[in-house]
Structure formats: structure tokens, C-alpha cells
Amino acid sequence: MTTTLDTPSTPGHPAGGGRSPLSGFPGNRPIGLRPVDHLDLLEAHAVFILREVAAECERPVLLFSGGKDSAVLLRLAEKAFRPGRLPFPVMHVDTGHNFPEVLDFRDRRIEEMGEELLVASVQDAIDAGRVADPGPNGMRNRLQTTALLDAIRAHEFDACIGGARRDEDKARAKERVLSFRDSFGQWDPKQQRPELWQLYSGTVRPGESLRAFPLSDWTELDIWQYIAREQLALPSIYFAHRRPVIERGGMLLAASSWVSAGPGETARDETVRFRTVGDATCTGAILSEATTVAQIIRETAASRVSERGATRADDRLSETSMEDRKREGYF
Amino acid sequence: MDLLRFAAVGSVDDGKSTLIGRLLHDTKQLFDDQLEAVEAASRRRGVDGIDLSFVTDGLRAEREQGITIDVAYRYAATPTRKFVIADCPGHVQYTRNMATGASTADLALVVVDAPKGLREQTRRHVCIAALLGVRHLVVAANKMDRVGWDETAYRAVVEEMAHLASRLGLATCVVIPVSALHGDNVAVRGGSAPWYGGPTVLEALEAAPSGAWAGAHGDHRGSLARLPVQWVLRRPGGGRSYAGMVNGGSFRLGDRVVVLPGGQTSTVSGLRTVDTPMEEAPVGLSVSLDLADDLDVSRGDLVAGVAGAPEVVTELTATVCWFAARPLAVGDQYRVKHTTRVTPGRVTSVDRRLDVNDLRLDDARSLGENDIGTVTIEVASPLAVDPYRRNRITGSFVLIDPVTNATVAAGMVGLPELAAPDPGT
């Protein structure tokens, strides 16, 4: 394997440095000067899936949260369709409880790419009375389903391209690359379409839709190795920094206007980074001194706790939290 | 480091998920929190100790029933090799999901309940895996602890598997006596089988020939240059590039190529892996390709080297695995998806059905759910196809129901090749 692991990365450096779409991407020593490695094959497969979805579906949309997986996904979409424009809009399902660093990164990246960003807002769904506000310290992750399904209906999307990986969760491990959802957005794990070779079938009837997962076969380590190779910019909260945190249910939640110390809790300063980025009320930080991608890769390779196990309160609610959310129409 | 994709196959209840869970557990591929969750789930169901099948059986219905419904994909790495593991369901009702898992596998890990011997479903899975292009088997003769590591139980599996493998023309078949429950001969040596001197399951997986699928999407040794066009990229200042994955051989600048099914010829004048110019585009990469001549090329066309270009056909003679409850019969119309082209197709004949117990092709008029058989299909627009045994991508297709959009069959161009039975068996 010839992946460069020690590419330096500056946390929060200007995303992509304003390259024009034609000036090429960094980090790609041409094939021919080095052997084809596993990242090349993962990239090739993901680009293939993106092109199939764009060709087979009428109105796809790419979901972009500003997190590391969707940053990789967006880069792969550029690779699939440049020098043309992306053949689909980019959409963020915003819980209203997002880290400002992440929203900042999201907006910068989209502007630099010159693409269109749609925002499906959980706050709007709450304000419109479509869902109840879980209140202060309440988790909003599950509420994303309503905002997502509303946006699918409003824009008549027939495919949502997301950055989910099969190594994240035992229900995701069972899901197809193109995951069929009925007109209520539901996943039925007993009725998945056979998906042989690389023949992805993207046809649905009106009202039905697909979730498309080009990163299905990537692991957390693959993502970080690819970020290193491509020198991808990320929100600064992925790198070690000092911040006030509150320990709750074995997790370190960032103290914020949505998460405040309850009875018996106190906020304390720690050096932390985030392994995953989601709604601030249910995404935990981990203690870490890693300030570069290379250091994160070393920590990831040695970690004894899974990415979501370390950091996601929403997965701890029951044995089958992710499956249950997907049955309701989640990503 | 190379990559091996393998599928765990075999009959229901023979212990596939337990074996995969054991393999992951004993090679320290499970995170602490995942192991704790499996332990907690085991306790909740009153299991004495830990039920390692819960590592991959992650769905509510799977844990309720103690069966696997759909393929679970797991990713593992040892110091020498990366693995993509497809833990397939054994239940006959979910054969379509097993075929999904095996379609991208280089090797099948066949799990057999050794005390009970091979069952019809074991044979069906081995037949499907072989038809799908798997050439190497690692067979776990499981539950050896239940018969006190009796060598005769193991020998019976060896004999039956050797016979099956030779009839199906498989390249290698290693049979290992194991107890997935106790972890004997899975990742570490164990059990009481002084008569066995072969590898553990892990050693056999690490020693198996490297991944033809993962590295090449088809056995590329000697395969010819193929690129199904996925998408046309328009270049600023004029000119078009044809984007797609190299699904056979390789393309070099200056190569003479033919665009099928139209048959126009041209020369490769540019190659890029997405953005970086290259001299040669190897198999397995997504690239864009420029042609020296201004031709009408669109999605669904196939760019191939002029030498040994695939055949253009309007009738497919193929082997299919049928997945729908409704039988496949003459006159039925489906959408045929072959590479990046979709065209209507009509079944013009159903010829044979494979008897998986006797490995015999019988005359047939229709195929029932989970049957394997041979058919001819007339297609509305011509397709450029290779025999499946020469190329797993340009030789494969699926049939899609035009009303429900369900995928109802996996198809492989060409007829199954069965060796004659050994005299005396």
C-alpha cells in the first residue's frame, strides 16, 4: 500500500484554497508511477455509483452535512462530474443544533464549488408544528427524518445520496448501495432488491425514492487516509482543541446554548476532538491531542471503540436504534 | 497489502454467522463497545455466554428468529491482507440475497454442519457461487465438537465437497474441521483432531489466491479492454470525454478501439483518472477517455479494443438464477440491465433447469423461485456481450420487472459447464 499517511493538514485552513475546478486535485500521484491501491479502487467504485445514480434517477440530491464523510462524498462528486457542474443540488438537513464551525465550513465549501445548497430545516418543521420540539437538552437527530421526507416530497427527489458507511452500524451493514424506500420513506430490510455485481437499479415509481451510499465499503480509517491523500479541508472541531464539556451518560457533550449543565453536572475544560459530527445534543467528543490528519489516522488505527459507539447517544437508545430510524425514513 | 472478498455460504443453521463472529472476535476485529453490545444482546435472550452470530445478525427479526435474512458486510484486516466479508443468509427463501453477496466474491467460505453432512441448500449455494465465478472454496466442516471430533464425519464432508468441486470445475477446495462455537481451528488451532494437519480457516483465507474481483472486477488475466460508457463529460472549449469504469484489460493512448453496438472505430487520444492525465488506464479504475474522431457515443455504448471485441447480439443465451415467486416462462417481458444499458427483453425459450442434488440439467418449460436454469432472451436493442466466464461485468445482466421495478433474476451469458461425473460415482 502506498498511501501517504503523513500529509500535513492545517485544521480549518481555507477549504480547498479556492482552486478552480480545472486545476486538478492535490495528492494524486499519477497511476503508472505507483501501483493501484485500495483507495484508488474505493474511489473508482464510489465515482461509478455517483454516475449511475445521476444517469438512472430523475431528480437526485446529494446530502452534505459538513462532516468528514460528506466532505469526502462531495470531493468524489467533483471527481465524477468535473469539468461540468454537479448534475444534482446539494442539501443539508439542519437540526438547528449544529456546531457553528461546521456550518461555516459547509457554506465556504459550497460557495467555493459554485454549487447550489438547499437547507431542509428541523427548526422550520418545529415552527410549522410538523414535529414537537424535544426542548432544551433534547435530541433532534430523529427529527431530521420529518425534515428530510418533507424536502423529498417538496422537491420530488427520487434519490438522496448520502455518506453512510457499512462499518458504522449493524443495520447499515445490511443495507444495499441503492436502498429502496417506499412512499413513506420506509426501509424494509426483509424486502431489499437483489443487487448483483455492479448493476445498480435506480428506477422507482412516483413517490418512492432511493438512498444511495457510494461510501458503503469504506471504513473510518479509509476515510481518514483519503482525507490525507486528497488534502481535504475539514471543520476545525475534528482536530484537538480546548473547549468546555459536560459529561453525560459516559459522553463528553460540548457545552453550548443547547447543552447546559443539569443538576449534579458541571462544565469543565478538556482537550478534545470530534470523531463524528452531528446534532450537538447527541454527539460526544473524545479526549485527544491529535491536531493533524496523520495523528488522527494513528489514533483511529489503534482505537478500541467504534466511531458511533464512542460518540453517538442516539444509537444507545435501544439495540436496534439505527434500524428503527431507517424504518421511519431516516437517511 | 491485497484485498480478498469472500462470501460465507451454506445452509441455514449450519453456523455461518457464528463462524464469522468467531473469526472477527478471535482476530480482535471487534471494537469493545460492539462486543459489549453482543454480550448484552446475548444476556437478554438468555444465552449462556455469548452468541457470536449477533455480530453480523444485526436486524431485530434476525435476532428474534436466530436466522440471517440479508447479507451483512464486514471489513477486517490482518497484517497480511484486507478482507471484505459478506455473511450470507442460508435460508432458501433468501437465496437472492446470498447471490447478491456472492456476486462480488473471489472465494466462498462454505459452512457445513459436519455431523449432518451436505444438504440440498449447501449444494445450491456452492452451485450458485461457482456459476457466479467463484473459483476457490474454503470449507468449514463445522460442529465437530458435537461428534467428538470423529474423523469419519470430516472425511464424509471432504469426499462430498471434492466431488462437487470437480463437477463444477473449481480450482481449489480446502476442507477444515472446526468448531465455530468454541473457536477450534477458526483463527487458532484447537479441538482434538490429531489426524488433521492442514490450515486453520484464517490461514486458508490468508493463503488463498488474491482477489480477482476486487482488483480487477473479473478475472483480468488475459481479459480484453472494455469500458461501458456511463456518462458523457463535455470539455470546456468543445470536445467530449466518455466516463466509465475500465471493466477489462486496459486502454493505452493510441490504442485502436471500436464503439459498440454501432461499430465505429477510432483511436484513444486522451485518458484521465478523473482529473490526472495518464498513459494507460488499468482495469478497475473509473476514468474518462477521449477519442480522436468525432463520433456519436452515449451512455450504454461499450468501448472495446478492436482485437477480440465482444459479440453484438439481439438474443442472449444465458444461465439465470430466478428470484421471483411467480415462475419465469416463455413470452414474459422484462427490462434487461446489462452494463450501463437498459433495454426491454422477452423470454423466447426456457430450456433447462439445474438439479442441484445430481448436478444434472433437465428439460424445463419454466423456472420456479430460486431455480437455476438456461434461457434465451430476445432484446429490443443490440447488446455487446462477453461470455460470463471471460468477463464478470460485460457477461452479466439482471432482469427487472417493468411494473414493480423489482430485480427478478441474475443472468450470466453462456451455459453452465459441468464436468462429467467420475466413473463409479
Side-chain angles (χ1 to χ4, degrees):
Chain A
M1 209 181 312
T2 56
T3 315
T4 309
L5 300 185
D6 282 311
T7 312
S9 164
T10 317
H13 72 72
R19 286 184 314 278
S20 90
L22 286 176
S23 65
F25 303 100
N28 271 352
R29 205 147 61 89
I31 305 283
L33 300 180
R34 60 176 181 82
V36 171
D37 66 20
H38 79 286
L39 290 180
D40 295 319
L41 295 174
L42 288 170
E43 177 187 77
H45 189 213
V47 164
F48 178 86
I49 294 162
L50 284 162
R51 288 173 176 157
E52 282 304 280
V53 172
E56 287 233 331
C57 299
E58 298 287 328
R59 293 173 71 85
V61 63
L62 184 141
L63 301 173
F64 179 63
S65 65
K68 67 181 190 317
D69 303 296
S70 61
V72 167
L73 192 61
L74 204 53
R75 167 55 54 92
L76 291 165
E78 286 185 283
K79 293 204 171 202
F81 301 108
R82 293 297 186 224
R85 284 181 65 86
L86 301 190
F88 35 68
V90 177
M91 181 166 80
H92 181 211
V93 181
D94 182 357
T95 65
H97 288 169
N98 278 290
F99 293 93
E101 297 92 332
V102 177
L103 294 181
D104 221 41
F105 169 77
R106 175 197 78 182
D107 293 342
R108 222 165 353 113
R109 189 77 184 92
I110 295 296
E111 192 189 331
E112 167 200 304
M113 286 179 66
E115 296 291 341
E116 177 193 356
L117 179 75
L118 306 169
V119 177
S121 161
V122 171
Q123 190 62 52
D124 286 355
I126 291 171
D127 294 345
R130 305 265 302 130
V131 288
D133 189 344
N137 291 326
M139 291 184 206
R140 285 184 167 191
N141 234 31
R142 196 169 195 156
L143 306 187
Q144 291 182 98
T145 300
T146 306
L148 175 67
L149 296 183
D150 284 354
I152 289 173
R153 266 192 298 280
H155 297 279
E156 296 178 359
F157 291 133
D158 58 354
C160 298
I161 306 164
R165 311 187 320 265
R166 284 176 175 152
D167 75 330
E168 283 180 274
D169 174 87
K170 57 192 181 304
R172 291 213 199 274
K174 295 266 167 183
E175 200 169 6
R176 298 282 187 261
V177 170
L178 293 199
S179 177
F180 176 79
R181 306 301 174 93
D182 67 14
S183 63
F184 294 91
Q186 298 182 103
W187 180 52
D188 182 352
K190 281 192 176 181
Q191 293 297 332
Q192 299 199 86
R193 289 177 177 178
E195 189 169 79
L196 290 102
W197 302 289
Q198 49 186 38
L199 289 169
Y200 301 108
S201 172
T203 320
V204 295
R205 292 180 283 200
E208 298 169 343
S209 64
L210 298 170
R211 305 286 181 273
F213 302 119
L215 306 180
S216 286
D217 282 343
W218 296 52
T219 64
E220 184 187 15
L221 191 58
D222 296 328
I223 291 286
W224 281 108
Q225 288 175 341
Y226 192 74
I227 286 166
R229 179 162 101 178
E230 295 289 313
Q231 298 172 29
L232 284 184
L234 289 179
S236 56
I237 65 169
Y238 276 110
F239 302 91
H241 58 286
R242 296 285 290 175
R243 76 157 65 220
V245 293
I246 294 161
E247 192 166 345
R248 185 177 296 165
M251 293 200 323
L252 299 177
L253 297 178
S256 66
S257 46
W258 315 295
V259 179
S260 46
E265 295 177 336
T266 48
R268 63 172 195 269
D269 273 10
E270 292 285 4
T271 302
V272 297
R273 68 178 174 89
F274 289 84
R275 247 173 108 176
T276 154
V277 161
D279 189 83
T281 56
C282 64
T283 306
I286 58 167
L287 295 174
S288 169
E289 303 284 337
T291 54
T292 67
V293 173
Q295 287 166 354
I296 290 174
I297 287 172
R298 280 193 284 274
E299 280 194 3
T300 305
S303 176
R304 292 303 314 149
V305 183
S306 75
E307 177 180 330
R308 297 189 77 91
T311 60
R312 295 303 278 259
D314 50 337
D315 289 342
R316 299 182 175 185
L317 297 175
S318 86
E319 193 180 314
T320 52
S321 292
M322 180 65 83
E323 179 184 345
D324 297 342
R325 288 204 300 277
K326 282 181 175 288
R327 284 174 178 277
E328 291 170 357
Y330 193 70
F331 303 119
Chain B
M1 188 156 55
D2 72 349
L3 177 67
L4 183 79
R5 296 187 71 114
F6 72 89
V9 305
S11 187
V12 64
D13 284 337
D14 285 2
K16 290 177 297 300
S17 297
T18 303
L19 180 64
I20 295 304
R22 171 57 70 183
L23 190 64
L24 293 167
H25 176 269
D26 289 0
T27 52
K28 310 253 181 311
Q29 302 289 325
L30 299 181
F31 290 110
D32 294 346
D33 56 302
Q34 292 172 332
L35 187 59
E36 279 163 28
V38 169
E39 284 166 351
S42 305
R43 274 197 302 278
R44 264 198 295 284
R45 285 167 184 76
V47 177
D48 187 21
I50 177 167
D51 186 340
L52 287 169
S53 72
F54 291 166
V55 171
T56 54
D57 287 343
L59 298 174
R60 188 189 294 281
E62 292 179 328
R63 291 179 171 191
E64 275 168 13
Q65 299 174 59
I67 62 164
T68 305
I69 290 171
D70 213 326
V71 192
Y73 292 93
R74 296 284 311 212
Y75 307 86
T78 66
T80 54
R81 189 167 251 188
K82 282 172 83 90
F83 295 98
V84 178
I85 305 166
D87 180 25
C88 298
H91 210 284
V92 67
Q93 186 186 346
Y94 300 117
T95 302
R96 60 181 188 274
N97 298 335
M98 173 270 168
T100 292
S103 70
T104 54
D106 303 305
L107 177 146
L109 173 58
V110 185
V111 183
V112 180
D113 184 325
K116 291 186 177 157
L118 266 68
R119 302 187 224 200
E120 178 175 333
Q121 188 64 353
T122 319
R123 296 170 189 281
R124 185 187 310 278
H125 276 194
V126 173
C127 285
I128 292 173
L131 292 172
L132 285 168
V134 168
R135 285 284 158 269
H136 305 282
L137 301 184
V138 172
V139 182
N142 193 21
K143 308 194 185 181
M144 286 298 291
D145 53 305
R146 296 237 185 123
V147 286
W149 294 85
D150 176 10
E151 188 180 0
T152 52
Y154 168 75
R155 288 286 154 215
V157 176
V158 171
E159 199 171 301
E160 285 203 87
M161 284 305 310
H163 176 66
L164 195 53
S166 92
R167 292 289 310 278
L168 292 167
L170 297 172
T172 66
C173 176
V174 184
V175 186
I176 304 161
V178 310
S179 166
L181 189 64
H182 301 295
D184 299 323
N185 292 342
V186 178
V188 286
R189 222 155 275 285
S192 35
W195 38 266
Y196 179 75
T200 62
V201 171
L202 180 63
E203 286 164 352
L205 291 171
E206 287 186 318
S210 75
W213 169 268
H217 291 244
D219 190 347
H220 63 297
R221 284 165 289 235
S223 78
L224 298 160
R226 304 283 186 262
L227 183 139
V229 175
Q230 270 194 293
W231 190 265
V232 179
L233 292 166
R234 279 192 278 279
R235 303 241 147 237
R240 293 180 300 277
S241 292
Y242 306 106
M245 187 181 274
V246 181
N247 286 140
S250 69
F251 291 88
R252 294 187 69 88
L253 292 177
D255 278 357
R256 291 291 295 166
V257 293
V258 58
V259 181
L260 298 170
Q264 314 95 310
T265 55
S266 186
T267 303
V268 177
S269 59
L271 285 168
R272 273 166 239 90
T273 86
V274 190
D275 54 312
T276 318
M278 62 205 305
E279 296 268 309
E280 179 174 11
V283 74
L285 292 193
S286 284
V287 301
S288 57
L289 175 147
D290 306 341
L291 296 178
D293 303 281
D294 188 16
L295 305 180
D296 174 10
V297 182
S298 49
R299 175 175 165 83
D301 288 341
L302 182 84
V303 182
V306 285
E311 200 185 350
V312 174
V313 299
T314 52
E315 191 171 76
L316 295 167
T317 304
T319 306
V320 298
C321 300
W322 182 249
F323 300 139
R326 174 165 63 93
L328 172 72
V330 172
D332 290 352
Q333 287 211 36
Y334 294 97
R335 285 202 306 270
V336 178
K337 183 166 186 185
H338 168 255
T339 65
T340 53
R341 180 174 288 242
V342 181
T343 178
R346 184 187 300 122
V347 180
T348 49
S349 71
V350 176
D351 303 313
R352 302 293 184 95
R353 181 192 300 111
L354 180 69
D355 179 323
V356 297
N357 285 316
D358 295 339
L359 293 185
R360 205 178 54 222
L361 287 163
D362 298 327
D363 287 343
R365 294 236 184 98
S366 68
L367 296 179
E369 191 172 11
N370 303 315
D371 277 350
I372 301 159
T374 64
V375 299
T376 51
I377 298 166
E378 179 191 2
V379 286
S381 69
L383 299 175
V385 299
D386 286 302
Y388 184 77
R389 66 180 165 276
R390 290 241 295 275
N391 191 309
R392 278 169 93 163
I393 299 296
T394 52
S396 61
F397 61 90
V398 290
L399 299 182
I400 298 166
D401 186 301
V403 177
T404 64
N405 297 315
T407 300
V408 291
M412 291 148 278
V413 176
L415 302 176
E417 288 184 347
L418 297 172
D422 296 337
T425 54

